[in-house]
Amino acid sequence: MVALILCICGCASNPASHAQQAEATAFRFEFARVVMGSRARIVLYAPSEGDAVEAARQAFDEMDRLNLVLSDYTDTSEAMRLCAAPIGVPHPVSPDLLDVLLKSARVFEASDGAFDPSLGELTRLWRSSFRSGRLPDPDQLADATARSGLRLVRIDEARSTIELLAPGVRFDFGAIGKGYAADRALRVLARRGLPHAMVDLGGDIALGEAPPGESGWRVEATDDRGEARELLLANLGVATSGDTYRSVTIDGVRYSHILDPRTGLGLRSSLAVTVIADEAWLADAIACAASVLGPKRVQPLLQRWSATRILWIPSQNGSAEDDES
Ligand code: AMP
Ligand code: MG
């Protein structure tokens, strides 16, 4: 079972400097709201309730704003409008969409396409399989596969433009967007002078400075033997991917909501992963890529982002040895 629980600690004592004194007078506040269809939770330390409420409001607003850029659940998001843009024409995009695409391209390349934010046609098919309980029609699957892959997208960083090279390409930032939004929300809090904060957006977690007087946020994660481990982490991103809560059984086979872009079907792996990386967007995307690649094939990714740590978690229906999908 995938478990990731954050336990938040109290404040420091014996302040020695001005900074520590300010920290010692900070109180803990917690806020929750639905963002991107998931529960978003913010924990922060602030000198007053007024500061805390206003900062949290701005952080939630930032995540809502990014949802309007990235979502594939509404045709009016910037990403979906881009998908409807003429083929073969460079299309100007916002700094946010450009940034997410550039970050995505790095993980796409390093994972040899295991993480692919342009497989939206495949995820659309797979979502209907979730509803119908039937595997996709082979012709539709082949068609959606042909429309997937970042090689069909030209990114011009200098000009801030995106060009679609084939019709029917559809973005799905489901495996990077929540982590990215959590990072950005955390940045909003830091800019308001509240760096001792964490943002958890549906399990994709951006951790800021540790709670005052503590050396980190207590993160409890299940390890590859299925045992709970407590980690003390700060200024990092944490993400968990797996099929514990989102799976479908078709003809007796259990499939995940994470797709192997090579087959267009959900993974059958029994492993879930928790990833710790420099930022939440990276942990989010690598958690997806690692789920597809499995423990053996994920090594090049770890060489590219050497600070990244992966905990492999056996899910209820398998063992850590069943690593390949
Ligand atoms: P997460 O919720 O972070 O585990 O990400 C899973 C979501 O990302 C899915 O619901 C899809 O929308 C999308 N997705 C599934 N498979 C992939 C993949 N191989 N690469 C990129 N995104 C994916
Ligand atoms: Mg995620």
Side-chain angles (χ1 to χ4, degrees):
M1 155 130 182
V2 180
L4 191 68
I5 304 151
L6 277 172
C7 311
I8 315 299
C9 298
C11 301
S13 56
N14 298 329
S17 69
H18 280 307
Q20 283 172 317
Q21 223 157 27
E23 288 177 4
T25 55
F27 302 98
R28 180 185 180 281
F29 296 90
E30 184 167 343
F31 304 88
R33 199 205 272 180
V34 172
V35 176
M36 297 185 173
S38 298
R39 182 170 185 263
R41 196 165 69 96
I42 293 177
V43 178
L44 58 81
Y45 288 80
S48 75
E49 185 174 359
D51 288 337
V53 168
E54 179 55 18
R57 188 187 64 73
Q58 290 189 12
F60 282 123
D61 285 354
E62 175 71 348
M63 292 191 274
D64 285 336
R65 192 184 66 73
L66 287 167
N67 188 41
L68 295 178
V69 175
L70 301 174
S71 176
D72 62 327
Y73 284 91
T74 162
D75 289 345
T76 55
S77 71
E78 186 187 358
M80 290 303 102
R81 281 186 284 117
L82 173 62
C83 293
I87 308 307
V89 181
H91 191 78
V93 292
S94 67
D96 298 312
L97 187 52
L98 183 70
D99 192 31
V100 171
L101 274 164
L102 287 168
K103 287 178 161 60
S104 294
R106 283 158 61 195
V107 184
F108 173 81
E109 271 150 34
S111 69
D112 206 12
F115 164 84
D116 181 358
S118 59
L119 49 46
E121 279 303 328
L122 285 172
T123 46
R124 196 145 72 158
L125 261 188
W126 191 237
R127 282 175 199 160
S128 56
S129 287
F130 254 66
R131 287 190 294 271
S132 68
R134 286 195 301 273
L135 290 178
D137 168 77
D139 290 342
Q140 285 183 312
L141 193 58
D143 186 56
T145 304
R147 294 168 196 273
S148 301
L150 268 190
R151 69 192 178 285
L152 303 175
V153 178
R154 184 174 294 147
I155 306 172
D156 188 331
E157 185 177 3
R159 292 192 171 83
S160 284
T161 60
I162 304 295
E163 182 181 344
L164 302 176
L165 304 176
V169 176
R170 188 181 159 91
F171 294 112
D172 175 349
F173 295 113
I176 189 170
K178 290 203 288 291
Y180 186 81
D183 285 328
R184 296 293 293 269
L186 189 69
R187 198 184 297 174
V188 166
L189 299 174
R191 285 202 180 128
R192 287 194 58 89
L194 304 178
H196 303 273
M198 57 84 52
V199 180
D200 175 355
L201 181 38
D204 295 314
I205 303 168
L207 299 171
E209 304 275 328
E214 301 288 329
S215 53
W217 300 87
R218 289 178 203 282
V219 177
E220 198 173 284
T222 308
D223 70 9
D224 54 6
R225 286 196 293 272
E227 287 167 15
R229 278 173 51 181
E230 190 177 81
L231 310 165
L232 263 186
L233 304 172
N235 298 311
L236 289 168
V238 185
T240 298
S241 274
D243 70 355
T244 303
Y245 303 110
R246 292 164 76 190
S247 68
V248 63
T249 300
I250 302 175
D251 300 331
V253 179
R254 181 177 159 127
Y255 296 92
S256 164
H257 68 296
I258 298 174
L259 303 185
D260 184 337
R262 292 171 306 182
T263 63
L265 302 179
L267 299 178
R268 286 179 289 168
S269 166
S270 58
L271 281 178
V273 291
T274 291
V275 175
I276 301 162
D278 283 341
E279 293 182 283
W281 72 267
L282 186 57
D284 196 4
I286 288 187
C288 171
S291 300
V292 175
L293 293 168
K296 291 175 201 133
R297 292 195 297 133
V298 81
Q299 290 312 317
L301 262 187
L302 299 184
Q303 277 151 23
R304 170 73 178 73
W305 286 283
S306 53
T308 301
R309 287 157 65 192
I310 299 187
L311 299 174
W312 298 95
I313 310 161
S315 73
Q316 293 142 321
N317 61 334
S319 72
E321 280 73 47
D322 306 333
D323 57 280
E324 300 296 338
S325 56

